[in-house]
Structures are given as structure tokens and as C-alpha cells.
Amino acid sequence: MRRTQQLRIALLALPALVGSVLMATTPAGADPAESTTKAGSERSHLEDQEPVRLARIQLTGADMLDKVVAAGFDLEHGLRRVPTGIEGEAVVTAEQVAELKTMGVEILGDDESFAWSDEADGGLQASRAQAVQPLSHEQTVRVVRADWFTTKGQGFLYVEARTTDGQQTNPIVGMQLENDSGPSTSFGFARTMSRFVDSGQYMFHRNLFKLDARPSQIRVTSSTGGVATGFVSNWLEDGTPPLTATPGYRSDFVDGYRTPQQLYSRAEEIARQYPKIAEIIYLPNQTNGYQRKAQATIGGTGQAAVVASSAAWGHEGGNDITVDFVNRSGANLPLSVEVNGKAVRVLLAKDASGALASTAAQVANALKSQSGGLIDRAHPYRTNAGTGIVQATPVPVALTDFLDEKRAGAPAGDVPRGPATIPVLRIGKHRDGKKPGVLIQAQDHAREWVPATTSLEAAERLVHNYGSDKETKNIVDNTDVFLILSNNPDGANYSFYNFASQRRNMTNHCPDTDADPARRNSWGVDLNRNYRVGSGHDGYSGASTSCVSDTYQGPEKLSEPESKNIIWLVEKYRNIKFMMSVHSNGGQLFWQPGAYIADGRITTPRPPLGDEAFYWQSAGRILSQVKAHRETVVTPENVGGSSDVLYSSAGNVREDLYFNYGIYAFGWEVGGSVYNPATGNWQGGSFQPAWAGDPNLVSGHAETMEYANGIVEMFRIAAEWGKDNKKPTSSLVPGAGKYVGSVDVRFETSEPATVYYTTDGSRPTLESPRYQATEFREPGQVFHVTETTTFRWFSVDVAGNIEQNYDPTKNDTRNNYREATITVVEQ
């Protein structure tokens, strides 16, 4: 017996990012804005900021993406896979454009980006002459999926297909796609499909294009002669009413973006208002705080420059420190430091001729050792050796933590300094660990404001509708919901009040080479790269070792209190079985695998076929609820394993929770592209879209409402999962019997379930082979049986129910597993 692939349309989907707009942070080295100056002193003069512009870029693939991100450029969002690599957008200076070009990045013109063709192009001339071949286990072409969906009155067909010759590049194998115009119509509209490669590995061919009429079938033909056909499926459910359509159901509670303080205050108020169904859990590890050491770069940026940092936090006295480099009259004078209160005077050394003689390295050492503990970090500028002679300062230079300025448009009110304690809003009638728990974790990335409002809106709907809506009561009575409305309060405050594009937390792990204040917008750890599975520390791609990269993974796994808190929570509350890490603004929904080793594209383990099917089933329900609000469609190409849909993201939280704790962990990029019928194009989103605006296009309010629908649907899925005691059923298709020569067989299940089987006559157990997918994002494999074989098997659904009450751990006499014998006779 040998295995081959099953030839039918899969309930699985494609990796590509469609049209989201990048809001990039300025890469490492960007300069800070000026702040107010203390009377009688001046703030350090840093290099002037170079003008920036939005540049469209093209990368050859994931390996180049890793290099560019590691260099400090923020390219995580606004990316899309195109046939020739990856396209994205970045905010860059002219100098940084030159740096990107040196790295091999192509800078695109405004009209150069890839777009799917809406017109039939005749397809591949070579393949049009090929005869259509019958399907068999040796088929060289497979239709993975063909999906039809509509949005804002426009129809779209998405197709993904594979060929066994896809890895060949010389010549590149072509694929032609045709579709009919409905049942009993002929194939036509031929067009060439696009071939996609990631990290040197062939992924698939695919197309997304507009159609006015729903096709019934598609046909894919390879330039090497293979042909496959498949039926078109509906992507998402049209007309699925959300809970908000229920008469009397209350929604639309959030009327604007919320700072962490506002989010936490509202969570605590909800717990006070609804004590019978809500409470607050305070996470044990405080954040490092919305706080910085006071700093100054004195003397420019050359070999004579000195960077000084206070021992105390800025708000605790560091901002009161001044440093004065003094030129005294005389000759042969030693270098020394005088301290009067918070005023530090560095008396510069003089040589025999009366010329200044202190180098930057010498001044830095004197500040550290002789400043009376006021200065605990002083060093030459970045990689300088500090050999230049320090010059006197015209007036004392004031140190500052740079947190005393408020970004234009920031919310009113002061930001609390110091470490923060993160509250978890827990909602459920029975909070005793017996109901399935659902963890919603928002705003790991500081600049992503919509995930926080989306999560708060979902919480508000639960508590406000509990007493009046039957379905909400069912959710609250049968689940245990944990909501972290902002998992990165320090970074989020920095985004609101200082630097809108801040992604990471505010912890500065940088050495002296990157510790000057001009780097301050580049400090921090990417919390979603700080976990233990598929970590960058273990060689997986998508995280950086550079402390000024926006995907900096931290000095070690779980180095940050924010990530430690998540692990504490799931270990303490073992009933947490579902998790959603809510991000923006890509418009994707994904799960495992989330990371890979670039050399060979070796991913973290793929979930069993049963879990994969459950993820897809859940995704369909969640995204149908999103669509029901205003017809926003998260397209099938943006759903699936995140390393297939997006890119490799080493050390993400989802994989840690799935592989270590068995939690069904989703990642959600809310927002993203919305189809604009007026222009016929997809309009990209942003991290902080205007709250109000055209309800049919991008706006913070619309995204908050539609994606809250999806979160509430996830609660319903968990409630059903917790009450599921129905045993799955499964079958071997076409089943037991006599077959001439050979036969292709496969397993089918009544619901998402994992099948364990044997073919050697032994009793199946949980250690037996597991029925697998043909290939990633495809359905189950096909067994090509050439000799008489007995299959013994059982299935286990995602709730743990085992078919026919079979106990695979006991060797009892019932042996109530499933069994079928395939008898092969000679022709």
C-alpha cells in the first residue's frame, strides 16, 4: 500500500496579505522631538530629523524580510505576498532609502504594485493543447480550494492549486485557470495563475479576481499536462444575522479610542456594577513602567560626544539634573567633578599649554564614578571610541526623560508614571474553573488601538445583555471569559502621548551603542516574540536579536513581565481552552504553525487534521459574523496557519499556548482591507484609523463593532464546545469490499476529529499513526491500496469525545474500534 493525495476541493485557504496599508515606525536612529528647556540651561542638541516619506518596497522573499526587520525597519504590517516576493510600505528618510537599496530592496513607484488581473488573458498557450487527463492517485495537479464570496455587491472567485512540479524553476511550471458560468455551462475565461514561493519553497499557484456571476466549477491545467477540476464553495455565510440583530439587543457602547488607564478603569467599574457575573484578577508581574531615565547627548555625535543617563527615573528626580562641562583658566589641571544638589559640573582637564585635554571616554568614566550617584550610565556616543576632546558647554545641559511632552491630539490628562499592574476582567456566571475559559488578549502591540476597543465592546455586550438576551445568558452561564484589554500599557501610553507608531513595550535592554536618547523610539521588546515555542533564540525566523528592531525578541525567552503574566494566567486557570490574541490592521485570522526555520522552511509542528478542521470551522463562523455587520470580508487567502498566511513570527504567544497547554489559540489581525464599490478597489486600513467616517470604508468605530461580533461568536463556540458530549462518527471511503487491482481510500468524519489507525493488525491507540493532510492547507490523504489490507481505527473530536466509547488506553475484550478490510483481487 502507498499513500497519495486526495483530489477534491479543500476546506482550507491561502497565504497572502491583501492591500493593508502600513503605518511604520521610523527605523532605528530616528531623532526625537525637542522638549521644553529648564531656565538657565539647555537640552542637549541632537541631530536634526531628516524628512520622511512613505515608500512602497518589494522584497525578494521572507529571508530578505528578516534582514530588513533585523536592521530596524518596521515592516510587520502592510505586507502582501506577490508572485515575485513580498510588497510593503515603509516610512523612510532619504538616507534609509539608500540603505534599503544597498540591502537589495526595490523601491517601487506609486503605480508599480502587483494587482490581480480582472480580465481573462487566454491562459498558457502550451497548456491549451494538452489533453484532459483522468483523475487518479498519481494526479500531478490538485485544486486545493475554490471560493466564491460577495462584498458590497461585487463577486469574487479565489482559487488555490498545486502541482507536483511546482518546485521546478527552469523552466517555471505554469498553471491555467478556467471557470464555468454556472451549472451545465462550459469552461472559459482562461487566465494564467500566479506561482508563489516562500524561503525558496514552492507554496502554490493562486488567483483572486472579480466575477459578476457565481461559477459552479473550475478547471486548472498545468503546462506540464496535468489537469484537475473542482466545485466552487461559498466562503462565509451570507445573511447570517449577528446577535446585534436580535430585537432589544444592546451594542455600540464604545465611542472612541481608550488609553490603558481608561480601559482598566472601565474594567474595574464593570466588576463593581455586575458582581454576580464579573470580577477583576490582577496579574502578579508589574510592567517595567511608563518611565525613562533622564538623558542628554552632549557635544554632538562625534568622537567628543558624551551620553549621560540619570540613576533615578526622570519623574523621580532625574529630570532635575543638569550637567555642565566647564573650561577653567590655567594649565596642568586634572579632570574632576563637582556636585551641588542636582547640578553636576565636570571640570575639564587642561594640558601644559592650557588647552582642554579630557576625552569623551575620560569624561564618561568621571561622570559615572564622581557624580555622587546622580549619573549611573555615561559613555561615548554609540560606537565611538570617545577619543575626541570634550568642549565646554555654553550653559548647563538639562537631562530629561522626554516624557514631558504630549503628542498632538493625545487624550487630556497626565499619564501615571512607574510600573503598572494589569487587570484581567473575568466574566462568567460560574467562575469556578468548571466552564471552558476563553482568553482575549488585546494590544500586545502598543500602536494597535482598535483591538482594545473591540475587546471592550465585546465585554460590554456580555454584561449589558445578560439579563435580557437568551443567547448572551447562555454564553455567560457556560463560559469563563478572561479579557486583557491592554497587555502593553507602557507602550500604549507611549503611543498615545509620545510616539504614535510605538509597537513594543518601553523596556530598554540596549547596550551603550544604542542607549542614547535619539534611539528612544526604537527601544523595547516585541511581546509577541518573547515566548518559548518556535523562538528566535532557537533559530526560528521573524524575530530579531537587535534591541532597536521592532521585532526584538528580548534578551531571553519570557524576559518581560507582560509575557510572564500570560503564562501565569493559563497555568493558574487550567480551564482556559480558547485564546484570541487580537492585533491590527492586516485583516487576517490565523493559528499554528506560526514560525519556521528559514533554511528549508521548517515550520513548527502542524496541528492534527482534526484540530486544523476545527480551526477552519470556527474561522468560518467568526468571520461570517464580522461580514454580517457591513459586509467586510476577511478573504480566504488571509486565513490559516500564520506562517503560511503572513510570515514567520518566532516566539509568538499562540504557539506557546497551543503546544504547551493544548489551548486553541487564534491570532487575529482586525481591520485591513475593505472593498470600495465606488472605486472598484480594496482600501487599506491603518493602526489608528479615524474613529468616525464613511461606515462602508475604514473607520475605528466600524472595525470595533464588526470585530466585536466575531469575538462574541468565539464565546458561543466555546460554550458549545463545553457542552459537547456527542461522539463523532467516521468511515473509510469507499469502504470494505472487493476491488480489482487497486483502490484509493480515505477517512471521513462527521465533525472535526482526529483519526488514529493501524494497518498491521494491531489494536489502534493514541500512539498509532494519525490520519494526516495531503499537504498543508489541504484535506486528508488518500491511501492507494494495492493489496488486501485491514484498517482499524477510531476518531476523537476536539472536545475529547471518542467514537463508540472506545477506550484506547485499555486492552479489553470489546475491541469496539472501527474496522474495514479492503480486499484486492487480481484483474
Side-chain angles (χ1 to χ4, degrees):
M1 180 188 67
R2 61 193 177 106
R3 301 174 185 172
T4 184
Q5 293 98 1
Q6 180 177 354
L7 297 170
R8 65 179 179 86
I9 299 279
L11 292 175
L12 307 173
L14 151 102
L17 305 180
V18 175
S20 61
V21 174
L22 172 67
M23 183 180 192
T25 63
T26 303
D31 299 326
E34 294 295 321
S35 68
T36 55
T37 301
K38 297 181 178 68
S41 66
E42 66 173 19
R43 217 208 62 194
S44 62
H45 293 289
L46 305 175
E47 58 265 43
D48 293 333
Q49 185 168 3
E50 210 180 332
V52 298
R53 68 181 178 89
L54 185 68
R56 289 203 55 77
I57 64 174
Q58 179 161 314
L59 308 130
T60 56
D63 51 350
M64 181 179 284
L65 173 65
D66 288 343
K67 292 176 183 177
V68 172
V69 169
F73 292 88
D74 177 10
L75 301 177
E76 170 152 345
H77 295 267
L79 298 175
R80 49 183 283 190
R81 294 190 184 277
V82 298
T84 52
I86 300 174
E87 287 184 0
E89 294 174 337
V91 178
V92 288
T93 64
E95 180 181 356
Q96 289 154 358
V97 167
E99 182 182 353
L100 288 172
K101 289 180 177 179
T102 301
M103 298 174 71
V105 177
E106 182 180 357
I107 308 300
L108 301 174
D110 293 338
D111 57 352
E112 288 188 75
S113 60
F114 173 78
W116 296 108
S117 173
D118 293 333
E119 302 296 330
D121 58 14
L124 301 171
Q125 296 303 317
S127 65
R128 292 173 66 88
Q130 298 288 344
V132 176
Q133 301 177 8
L135 300 180
S136 74
H137 66 279
E138 294 179 341
Q139 186 64 36
T140 61
V141 173
R142 301 191 304 276
V143 175
V144 177
R145 65 179 307 122
D147 288 305
W148 168 260
F149 65 88
T150 60
T151 177
K152 310 294 177 62
Q154 178 61 57
F156 288 88
L157 174 66
Y158 170 71
V159 177
E160 181 180 318
R162 280 195 177 93
T163 169
T164 54
D165 297 322
Q167 192 64 28
Q168 296 181 19
T169 58
N170 190 22
I172 293 175
V173 174
M175 298 267 272
Q176 174 182 279
L177 169 68
E178 298 171 282
N179 61 268
D180 65 17
S181 298
S184 302
T185 60
S186 59
F187 287 113
F189 315 101
R191 67 197 67 216
T192 301
M193 296 187 72
S194 297
R195 176 177 178 268
F196 283 77
V197 174
D198 184 38
S199 285
Q201 300 297 310
Y202 169 69
M203 302 284 284
F204 35 65
H205 284 72
R206 65 172 186 175
N207 261 59
L208 172 71
F209 55 94
K210 297 178 185 176
L211 286 178
D212 293 330
R214 186 192 188 283
S216 175
Q217 294 187 75
I218 58 100
R219 179 169 65 191
V220 178
T221 308
S222 169
S223 60
T224 58
V227 177
T229 60
F231 288 97
V232 176
S233 302
N234 287 331
W235 173 243
L236 308 185
E237 300 174 21
D238 286 324
T240 303
L243 281 179
T244 50
T246 304
Y249 188 88
R250 300 177 62 190
S251 61
D252 204 353
F253 295 97
V254 182
D255 59 2
Y257 293 119
R258 296 286 184 269
T259 66
Q261 296 74 250
Q262 293 168 326
L263 292 167
Y264 295 168
S265 176
R266 179 55 190 152
E268 291 165 340
E269 186 178 11
I270 286 173
R272 289 192 296 270
Q273 287 179 313
Y274 303 93
K276 293 184 179 180
I277 59 170
E279 64 178 308
I280 293 292
I281 298 167
Y282 291 101
L283 295 175
N285 300 292
Q286 285 193 314
T287 69
N288 290 308
Y290 177 77
Q291 57 189 5
R292 287 270 168 84
K293 299 298 180 71
Q295 293 185 297
T297 299
I298 308 170
T301 60
Q303 288 289 346
V306 176
V307 178
S309 301
S310 64
W313 297 107
H315 66 287
E316 293 179 345
N319 288 337
D320 300 326
I321 297 172
T322 60
V323 175
D324 192 9
F325 293 169
V326 180
N327 181 4
R328 300 165 290 165
S329 60
N332 292 318
L333 298 177
L335 173 65
S336 63
V337 177
E338 293 180 349
V339 178
N340 182 11
K342 295 295 181 67
V344 179
R345 299 179 74 236
V346 179
L347 309 179
L348 300 173
K350 307 289 284 287
D351 63 15
S353 67
L356 292 173
S358 299
T359 66
Q362 291 169 337
V363 170
N365 288 332
L367 278 171
K368 287 188 290 186
S369 61
Q370 301 176 38
S371 64
L374 293 178
I375 305 296
D376 73 346
R377 191 171 186 175
H379 49 85
Y381 182 79
R382 299 197 182 171
T383 58
N384 292 347
T387 56
I389 300 302
V390 172
Q391 301 299 304
T393 51
V395 294
V397 175
L399 272 61
T400 174
D401 62 7
F402 296 92
L403 299 179
D404 54 350
E405 295 179 309
K406 299 294 186 289
R407 186 179 58 80
D414 293 328
V415 187
R417 301 295 178 87
T421 298
I422 299 176
V424 181
L425 176 59
R426 186 181 189 185
I427 300 175
K429 177 64 175 178
H430 307 288
R431 303 183 302 278
D432 54 6
K434 295 181 180 179
K435 300 295 182 180
V438 185
L439 170 60
I440 305 297
Q441 175 202 37
Q443 209 171 37
D444 250 0
H445 294 152
R447 64 192 175 200
E448 298 169 9
W449 295 358
V450 175
T453 55
T454 298
S455 302
L456 178 59
E457 172 69 20
E460 297 279 12
R461 292 182 187 182
L462 291 185
V463 296
H464 283 281
N465 291 293
Y466 177 68
S468 57
D469 178 71
K470 179 180 178 181
E471 191 58 40
T472 302
K473 187 176 190 303
N474 176 62
I475 291 171
V476 176
D477 286 352
N478 291 286
T479 61
D480 194 356
V481 174
F482 300 79
L483 296 116
I484 301 176
L485 301 179
S486 176
N487 195 46
N488 184 4
D490 304 340
N493 277 320
Y494 199 70
S495 176
F496 271 105
Y497 291 96
N498 302 98
F499 178 58
S501 293
Q502 177 74 8
R503 168 183 166 91
R504 296 159 287 167
N505 69 6
M506 288 182 63
T507 308
N508 179 8
H509 289 291
C510 284
D512 292 348
T513 52
D514 287 305
D516 59 273
R519 292 290 208 203
R520 73 184 190 278
N521 290 341
S522 298
W523 295 331
V525 173
D526 182 343
L527 299 178
N528 204 34
R529 300 295 184 274
N530 195 228
Y531 291 85
R532 300 166 295 181
V533 175
S535 169
H537 293 281
D538 296 322
Y540 285 82
S541 296
S544 176
T545 59
S546 170
C547 68
V548 291
S549 168
D550 254 316
T551 55
Y552 177 48
Q553 63 193 3
E556 61 186 20
K557 302 173 186 178
L558 296 183
S559 62
E560 305 308 292
E562 297 92 341
S563 52
K564 289 176 182 175
N565 278 334
I566 300 301
I567 301 305
W568 175 88
L569 190 69
V570 299
E571 288 187 347
K572 181 175 178 64
Y573 299 97
R574 293 286 184 157
N575 63 316
I576 294 177
K577 300 300 181 184
F578 294 85
M579 185 265 190
M580 180 80 81
S581 179
V582 190
H583 294 259
S584 69
N585 64 320
Q588 296 102 20
L589 182 60
F590 42 74
W591 47 85
Q592 304 76 42
Y596 56 73
I597 297 172
D599 186 9
R601 203 176 185 279
I602 303 169
T603 69
T604 50
R606 294 187 178 273
L609 188 58
D611 283 3
E612 180 87 0
F614 180 65
Y615 272 127
W616 278 105
Q617 181 187 77
S618 300
R621 291 180 55 175
I622 291 168
L623 297 178
S624 292
Q625 288 294 309
V626 173
K627 182 181 180 183
H629 179 73
R630 55 165 187 161
E631 290 195 75
T632 294
V633 173
V634 175
T635 57
E637 56 197 321
N638 288 320
V639 181
S642 64
S643 65
D644 305 327
V645 169
L646 206 56
Y647 41 71
S648 179
S649 52
N652 66 78
V653 64
R654 303 179 307 277
E655 295 199 287
D656 201 319
L657 300 196
Y658 177 77
F659 289 113
N660 286 329
Y661 303 98
I663 296 170
Y664 289 104
F666 293 81
W668 204 358
E669 290 274 347
V670 307
S673 297
V674 177
Y675 182 71
N676 184 347
T679 63
N681 297 317
W682 293 84
Q683 178 189 356
S686 67
F687 295 115
Q688 300 142 20
W691 181 257
D694 186 334
N696 291 318
L697 300 179
V698 174
S699 75
H701 175 260
E703 290 179 1
T704 294
M705 297 304 131
E706 65 194 354
Y707 285 97
N709 283 2
I711 289 179
V712 172
E713 184 64 18
M714 186 174 179
F715 298 153
R716 289 208 282 191
I717 291 168
E720 293 173 10
W721 181 91
K723 294 189 288 185
D724 180 10
N725 56 15
K726 183 179 180 180
K727 307 294 187 296
T729 60
S730 61
S731 59
L732 190 68
V733 179
K738 291 184 178 182
Y739 300 89
V740 177
S742 64
V743 63
D744 290 344
V745 300
R746 67 184 187 273
F747 287 111
E748 290 187 355
T749 59
S750 60
E751 61 178 292
T754 299
V755 173
Y756 297 86
Y757 69 93
T758 65
T759 57
D760 61 0
S762 63
R763 185 174 182 273
T765 70
L766 294 172
E767 304 301 320
S768 298
R770 200 164 53 194
Y771 186 51
Q772 299 177 350
T774 300
E775 178 59 276
F776 71 93
R777 306 165 68 75
E778 293 194 36
Q781 65 201 88
V782 169
F783 303 98
H784 184 59
V785 182
T786 58
E787 59 185 28
T788 298
T789 303
T790 297
F791 287 83
R792 293 176 174 177
W793 77 92
F794 65 94
S795 61
V796 185
D797 70 14
V798 293
N801 300 305
I802 301 180
E803 187 173 9
Q804 297 187 163
N805 286 321
Y806 174 62
D807 189 344
T809 66
K810 297 179 181 179
N811 192 10
D812 58 32
T813 57
R814 291 183 301 166
N815 285 333
N816 54 331
Y817 46 73
R818 302 295 310 280
E819 184 172 344
T821 298
I822 305 296
T823 302
V824 177
V825 297
E826 295 183 1
Q827 295 183 1

